[in-house]
Amino acid sequence: MSRRHLPPLASLRAFEAAARHRNFEKAGDELAVTASAVGQHVRSLESWLRRPLFIRLPSKGVALTEIGERYAATISQVLDQLNEATARALRPETPNVITVSTLPSFALNWLIPRLGHLKERAPHLEVRVEVSVSLTDFARENVDIAIRSGSGGYPGLQSDLLMEENFFPVCSAALLDDPERPLREPADLRHHILLHEIPEGIPDFVTWPRWLAAVGVSGVDATRGPRFSHTFLALQAAASGQGVALATNVLIGDYLDAGRLIRPFPDQVRGPHQYYLVCPEASAHRPAIAAFRRWIRDEAAAHIGLSAGS
């Protein structure tokens, strides 16, 4: 392997900060050095590269040259990767413990009920579950795996598609059997209370107006009805006979199998997002993480098979 030809790390850090802030003083504040020291590091790097990276402006500001723009983008990525690797190296060694971050409804309705299967398959593995609707910053958070609903495409991360999501109405059996307000087709929803889920941090979520439009139903006031912040709250309200909720094949849990909820008609609408498991590429093959990835893919495949057969 040939010897690496690298400039001093201190100069790279100073340049990257100055490029990000477009200001030497702000870069100095971030790095706890003076603006003059930042300038010296930048000049040292320019000398080492034999290329100008900044244009000094009369207003005491700076602008990046074309080469500087390209170099800064690459160096930012490299420093982020270095930061992530360092953070992981500093964490306590717990080879059989993994932390999984996921959405509250997914944790309650899908993941937690299945963790007993994981314990049977990998009794040595200890899983810690955290809930969050925000994107995970693996470099700064003590999280090994994240499960999120999205459109895929996570640069720098290993990504596994778990399940696609379909939306359909559900209600209690008592509501379905109401002789005065039959519920046999989507148009009948005009006679019933609609239960709404308003989740945080999930763009393009399938709401009642979108669902009704997708199945070609008009004349239903889709604005009425109570609202809930999580899927499990809306499903509980539906199970207690308070109205009709929109459920998904991923988050319906055991409500259908147990008969607590039923689908009044087969119409469904595919959601814009799918469920993905993501983790840093560098740790994807760590034994504990690899074991969890294999298990959850198998569980997801089994769930999809059951959903298709129901």
Side-chain angles (χ1 to χ4, degrees):
M1 181 177 179
S2 60
R3 182 179 178 183
R4 292 188 175 92
H5 190 52
L6 301 174
L9 177 60
S11 295
L12 290 176
R13 290 185 64 210
F15 163 68
E16 191 275 338
R20 189 161 20 88
H21 291 290
R22 298 297 200 271
N23 185 286
F24 284 12
E25 289 187 3
K26 292 181 179 179
D29 291 341
E30 177 182 319
L31 301 174
V33 298
T34 64
S36 176
V38 172
Q40 289 177 352
H41 281 303
V42 169
R43 285 191 293 274
S44 175
L45 181 59
E46 289 176 323
S47 177
W48 194 92
L49 293 170
R50 298 180 182 177
R51 285 171 172 78
L53 299 173
F54 284 102
I55 300 172
R56 278 67 175 177
L57 303 176
S59 59
K60 295 185 179 180
V62 291
L64 285 163
T65 64
E66 185 176 345
I67 294 174
E69 288 277 7
R70 294 197 302 268
Y71 196 49
T74 301
I75 293 303
S76 289
Q77 293 177 5
V78 170
L79 291 180
D80 285 343
Q81 291 172 354
L82 179 59
N83 181 66
E84 177 183 326
T86 302
R88 291 188 169 275
L90 291 173
R91 290 174 189 166
E93 285 293 329
T94 50
N96 294 327
V97 178
I98 62 172
T99 299
V100 179
S101 172
T102 188
L103 302 169
S105 292
F106 186 85
L108 182 66
N109 289 38
W110 198 95
L111 179 60
I112 292 175
R114 289 170 170 76
L115 287 180
H117 300 168
L118 175 62
K119 183 58 68 174
E120 295 173 0
R121 179 162 165 175
H124 64 286
L125 193 59
E126 180 181 333
V127 177
R128 299 172 180 173
V129 178
E130 297 181 357
V131 294
S132 174
V133 297
S134 302
L135 293 177
T136 298
D137 186 341
F138 289 100
R140 293 178 173 82
E141 299 177 45
N142 189 21
V143 172
D144 299 294
I145 290 172
I147 302 171
R148 292 291 187 270
S149 173
S151 56
Y154 302 95
L157 298 175
Q158 174 69 42
S159 175
D160 298 316
L161 173 63
L162 295 180
M163 291 171 284
E164 296 180 345
E165 190 169 41
N166 294 302
F167 289 75
F168 46 82
V170 293
C171 65
S172 67
L175 193 65
L176 181 69
D177 295 335
D178 186 342
E180 298 182 1
R181 298 182 300 168
L183 190 55
R184 300 291 182 264
E185 60 183 29
D188 293 334
L189 289 167
R190 62 171 55 90
H191 304 301
H192 293 267
I193 296 174
L194 303 183
L195 306 175
H196 302 263
E197 181 187 352
I198 312 296
E200 297 180 4
I202 303 179
D204 300 326
F205 190 77
V206 177
T207 58
W208 272 116
R210 292 185 61 177
W211 193 91
L212 291 165
V215 298
V217 172
S218 59
V220 177
D221 183 359
T223 63
R224 71 185 191 280
R227 284 156 169 73
F228 304 90
S229 59
H230 294 293
T231 297
F232 58 85
L233 299 176
L235 294 181
Q236 183 59 41
S240 62
Q242 297 179 36
V244 184
L246 270 180
T248 84
N249 59 310
V250 176
L251 302 180
I252 191 63
D254 63 355
Y255 282 90
L256 294 179
D257 293 338
R260 298 178 62 199
L261 288 171
I262 59 176
R263 294 180 63 172
F265 30 78
D267 304 70
Q268 64 181 22
V269 172
R270 184 181 176 186
H273 301 137
Q274 297 82 44
Y275 279 81
Y276 289 88
L277 179 148
V278 295
C279 64
E281 293 178 347
S283 60
H285 300 290
R286 185 182 127 198
I289 293 177
F292 184 87
R293 289 174 59 211
R294 288 192 298 270
W295 168 77
I296 199 170
R297 287 198 301 261
D298 290 345
E299 286 288 330
H303 176 80
I304 293 169
L306 289 173
S307 298
S310 61

